[in-house]
């Protein structure tokens, strides 16, 4: 039995297989409509979410399965003081697979060590978010047809943005991927992630200047400043609008640069860009559902 806590638990071969399955689901959805008949997914969300939770739920329904769960810690026994380990043991009696989001880094890992069914990390604090990375990878694959030879700009809150950490982990395994890390000095990529790049000799540069960096990029991954992880509201207010992508800033970008964002968007991308052919962030949402379908099939070992 396998869980998915960190994107690196999937080999690049397995990622390719998930992408092929997702492509096939997109082509032939009816083939998959009953693959999970009689199975239940539990969504345990200890932190607010719209798209990730509903994406998991829609994924399971489209496979013919059912969904149980809760969408805030207040409505679960955690509010009575139950441990994550106990919750995982209990829910294993009700569901075939668990998707867990938690504000504490490592909570889904603890759940996976105590559950008797697969656990999927649906975001743990400022740490990781592997299924968002699956959505990002399918988007990149469908837009660019490759993971090699890409210059990827990551812009915004690189410190607390867990989707950025997981995406870097996934992409750094491919040949000739260069990262341009665009953030205010206060929101730079954590050292542990930078060390993983240095160790693997992956090319990266840090900058504060989006306009300058944008010219080189094949992918621009915008992120929200993660308000809920700040200790100090004033600091958040000072940094929240550090980067706003506008049509003027796109003038120097490549004609086929893909713009991604894990959403929710606050101010980082002007709505004037939504109809630009380079804007991929709503497609990315749809692709996330297909990749979660592929992942559920894999972890449940459905043929
Ligand atoms: C991201 C998350 O929850 O980390 N959103 C998502 O999963 N779609 C990014 C964010 O909340 O800013």
């Amino acid at each position: 039995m396998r869980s998915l806590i960190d994107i690196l638990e999937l080999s690049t071969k397995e990622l390719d297989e998930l992408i092929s399955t997702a492509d096939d689901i997109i082509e032939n959805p009816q083939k998959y409509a009953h693959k999970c008949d009689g199975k239940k997914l539990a969504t345990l969300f200890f932190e607010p979410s719209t798209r990730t939770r509903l994406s998991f739920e829609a994924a399971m329904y489209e496979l013919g399965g059912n969904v149980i769960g809760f969408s805030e810690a207040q409505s679960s026994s955690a509010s009575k003081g139950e441990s994550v380990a106990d919750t995982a043991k209990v829910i294993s009696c009700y569901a075939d697979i668990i998707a867990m989001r938690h504000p504490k880094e490592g909570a889904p890992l603890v759940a996976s060590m105590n559950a008797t069914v697969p656990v999927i990390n649906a975001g743990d604090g400022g740490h990781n978010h592997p299924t968002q990375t699956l959505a990002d990878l399918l988007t990149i694959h469908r837009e660019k047809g490759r993971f090699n030879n890409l210059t990827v700009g990551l812009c915004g809150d690189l410190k607390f943005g867990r989707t950025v950490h997981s995406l870097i982990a996934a992409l750094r395994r491919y040949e000739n991927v260069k990262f341009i890390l665009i953030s205010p000095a206060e929101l730079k990529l954590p050292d542990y992630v930078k060390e993983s790049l240095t160790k693997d000799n992956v090319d990266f540069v840090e900058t504060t200047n989006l306009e300058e960096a944008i010219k080189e990029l094949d992918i621009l991954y915008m992120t929200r400043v993660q308000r809920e992880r700040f200790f100090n509201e004033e600091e958040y207010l000072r940094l929240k609008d550090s980067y706003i992508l506008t049509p003027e800033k796109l003038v120097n970008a490549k004609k086929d640069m893909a713009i991604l964002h894990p959403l929710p968007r606050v101010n980082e991308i002007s709505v004037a860009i939504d109809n630009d052919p380079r804007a991929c962030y709503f497609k990315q949402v749809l692709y996330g559902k297909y990749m979660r379908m592929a992942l559920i099939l894999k972890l449940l070992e459905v043929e």
Side-chain angles (χ1 to χ4, degrees), residues 47 51-52 101 122 129 132 162-163 224 226 228-229 261-264 292:
E47 194 184 81
R51 77 222 75 235
T52 303
R101 168 167 291 190
H129 194 346
Q132 179 61 46
R162 56 194 172 193
T163 66
R224 171 179 74 89
Q226 305 275 306
E228 64 278 32
R229 316 246 179 261
H261 190 308
L263 304 183
R292 290 185 175 101

Side-chain angles (χ1 to χ4, degrees), residues 91-251:
I91 304 300
S92 296
C93 304
Y94 303 144
D96 301 283
I97 185 163
I98 294 172
M100 177 183 280
R101 168 167 291 190
H102 205 288
K104 286 216 180 84
E105 287 80 2
L109 174 64
V110 172
S112 72
M113 287 157 47
N114 289 278
T116 54
V117 300
V119 175
I120 302 171
N121 178 3
D124 63 327
H127 190 215
N128 277 330
H129 194 346
T131 64
Q132 179 61 46
T133 300
L134 296 179
D136 304 341
L137 292 177
L138 182 60
T139 311
I140 294 171
H141 199 262
R142 287 181 77 94
E143 292 299 315
K144 295 277 154 211
R146 65 179 196 277
F147 295 126
N148 297 332
N149 307 319
L150 290 173
T151 300
V152 181
L154 299 144
C155 179
D157 186 349
L158 308 187
K159 180 179 181 190
F160 297 118
R162 56 194 172 193
T163 66
V164 167
H165 307 158
S166 293
L167 182 59
I168 289 178
L171 286 178
R172 75 174 149 85
R173 294 188 288 186
Y174 297 94
E175 290 293 307
N176 195 25
V177 172
K178 178 179 178 188
F179 295 103
I180 303 195
L181 308 171
I182 309 153
S183 74
E186 295 85 345
L187 299 175
K188 279 194 192 168
L189 194 70
D191 286 340
Y192 81 92
V193 186
K194 271 187 267 180
E195 280 155 21
S196 73
L197 294 175
T198 313
K199 187 173 118 302
D200 290 354
N201 287 319
V202 180
D203 206 351
F204 71 92
V205 288
E206 294 184 290
T207 174
T208 54
N209 191 332
L210 172 61
E211 281 90 332
E212 209 31 61
I214 206 164
K215 303 174 199 156
E216 287 187 55
L217 305 179
D218 299 304
I219 311 277
L220 173 58
Y221 194 92
M222 296 295 295
T223 62
R224 171 179 74 89
V225 175
Q226 305 275 306
R227 179 180 206 157
E228 64 278 32
R229 316 246 179 261
F230 277 71
F231 292 111
N232 170 337
E233 180 74 3
E234 268 164 46
E235 175 96 333
Y236 167 74
L237 293 173
R238 191 167 60 78
L239 294 171
K240 73 182 172 73
D241 291 327
S242 299
Y243 299 99
I244 301 178
L245 190 64
T246 55
E248 299 71 57
K249 290 193 185 131
L250 277 181
V251 168

